[in-house]
Amino acid sequence: MFIPCDRGGDPAAPDFKGFTLLMPAVSVGNVGQLAIDLVISTLDMTKVGYFYTDCLVPMVGNNPYATAEENSTELSINAEVYSLPSKKLVVLQIRSPFIKVCMFIHCSYFTIWFEYFCWQILSGLVKLFFYFMLTPLRYLLTPDLEKAVGGHMKELNWKEMEKVAAYPGINDTDKVLHIPGGGITKLLFTESCSEGIQMAVLLKFCSEGDNIPDAFVLVNYLNEWLQLIKSEVNPSSQWKIPSSWRLLFGNGLPPALF
């Protein structure tokens, strides 16, 4: 359930009709979440509410996008919604994993809310099949979105996620979609296909570790399509690093990034 922020005594939910929704998958290396951090921080998006659900592990922490002492003590929780009306953009940032026994029950609740949007999910995949990949980036489109933007993906020379044999070595004819380490990605994609929801999945093959470089690759991949920031020779230098990243990976980030 989406709960809007009570700003100035106005509890009314914002109107997101026609907006594009971005959402990370809690997956290998948290790459999708890190990429979403870059989007929120760079575009200076406003928190407009949160998503209340008991299918996520509870958590609370300080404001991950603090810019001054005054807003550093603001609290954040496991699923918050940010908006940028000028770009018709909404972001659902998820900061904790799904409770496995609840995923199927609550997936339908998410898709009901998602029906308002043309939406993308950013995911990091385990580096299981990397040995035959010429590029570590892939995408998936639901049939309804394929009709609208499939041609543009071909113009971008993007690679669609390959299906693999359901029973390797026994039956190589039947192909299935396999998203190793992608968390809830496959479940949401399958549900969106059956419900006629326009959804895209952007995928990055990676390994666990310092996944900040993977996040930059994934968000640049997203930017090729949505043009959230101006593309330059080195687009990574234009993304604003959130203050919370100072605590990542033993504070090993170069000071110049901040």
Side-chain angles (χ1 to χ4, degrees), residues 20-24 31-40 42-43 45 87 89-91 118-123 137-139 141 145 152-153 156 158 200-204 214-229 231 235 239:
T20 295
L21 170 70
L22 300 179
M23 170 186 163
V31 176
Q33 294 156 294
L34 293 172
I36 288 294
D37 269 351
L38 291 171
V39 172
I40 294 172
T42 302
L43 300 181
M45 300 183 72
K87 288 186 177 289
L89 185 67
V90 175
V91 167
C118 170
W119 66 291
Q120 290 80 43
I121 186 168
L122 307 182
S123 179
L137 296 166
R138 291 292 187 272
Y139 78 92
L141 300 176
L145 188 57
H152 184 53
M153 298 306 192
L156 292 172
W158 282 15
V201 181
L202 306 190
L203 306 152
K204 169 73 170 68
D214 297 301
F216 277 107
V217 171
L218 185 58
V219 78
N220 287 332
Y221 186 48
L222 171 71
N223 195 59
E224 284 184 44
W225 178 16
L226 297 186
Q227 295 294 297
L228 299 176
I229 63 173
S231 297
W239 298 105

Side-chain angles (χ1 to χ4, degrees), residues 12-239:
D15 183 8
F16 295 139
K17 274 288 188 181
F19 279 47
T20 295
L21 170 70
L22 300 179
M23 170 186 163
V26 182
S27 54
V28 172
N30 300 317
V31 176
Q33 294 156 294
L34 293 172
I36 288 294
D37 269 351
L38 291 171
V39 172
I40 294 172
S41 182
T42 302
L43 300 181
D44 195 21
M45 300 183 72
T46 302
K47 183 163 68 175
V48 294
Y50 61 94
F51 207 88
Y52 175 76
T53 175
D54 55 3
C55 67
L56 291 170
V57 174
M59 62 79 58
V60 66
N62 287 349
N63 180 8
Y65 312 114
T67 55
E69 186 175 348
E70 289 73 22
N71 62 4
S72 63
T73 56
E74 294 177 3
L75 296 181
S76 62
I77 58 173
N78 54 10
E80 295 184 322
V81 180
Y82 297 79
S83 175
L84 186 63
S86 63
K87 288 186 177 289
K88 284 186 169 282
L89 185 67
V90 175
V91 167
L92 171 59
Q93 175 63 299
I94 296 177
R95 300 191 177 95
S96 69
F98 283 85
I99 298 172
K100 197 167 186 178
V101 296
C102 300
M103 286 198 303
F104 291 94
I105 299 173
H106 292 277
C107 182
S108 58
Y109 296 157
F110 277 99
T111 53
I112 289 172
W113 193 60
F114 296 158
E115 286 177 354
Y116 287 96
F117 306 96
C118 170
W119 66 291
Q120 290 80 43
I121 186 168
L122 307 182
S123 179
L125 302 183
V126 68
K127 200 174 179 180
L128 183 61
F129 301 119
F130 189 66
Y131 61 89
F132 69 76
M133 297 292 181
L134 295 177
T135 169
L137 296 166
R138 291 292 187 272
Y139 78 92
L140 288 168
L141 300 176
T142 58
D144 283 68
L145 188 57
E146 174 74 39
K147 297 173 186 176
V149 303
H152 184 53
M153 298 306 192
K154 290 181 173 60
E155 292 175 4
L156 292 172
N157 292 318
W158 282 15
K159 300 293 184 182
E160 189 172 5
M161 183 68 177
E162 299 89 343
K163 291 186 176 181
V164 299
Y167 305 100
I170 301 175
N171 181 356
D172 293 330
T173 303
D174 295 335
K175 302 287 186 178
V176 296
L177 182 63
H178 188 43
I179 306 181
I184 201 172
T185 303
K186 183 177 178 180
L187 179 60
L188 283 175
F189 182 74
T190 303
E191 186 79 9
S192 296
C193 287
S194 62
E195 295 293 331
I197 297 174
Q198 291 189 338
M199 172 188 175
V201 181
L202 306 190
L203 306 152
K204 169 73 170 68
F205 283 80
C206 59
S207 301
E208 291 281 5
D210 182 349
N211 295 104
I212 286 176
D214 297 301
F216 277 107
V217 171
L218 185 58
V219 78
N220 287 332
Y221 186 48
L222 171 71
N223 195 59
E224 284 184 44
W225 178 16
L226 297 186
Q227 295 294 297
L228 299 176
I229 63 173
K230 292 182 180 179
S231 297
E232 295 186 354
V233 177
N234 183 17
S236 295
S237 64
Q238 297 186 89
W239 298 105

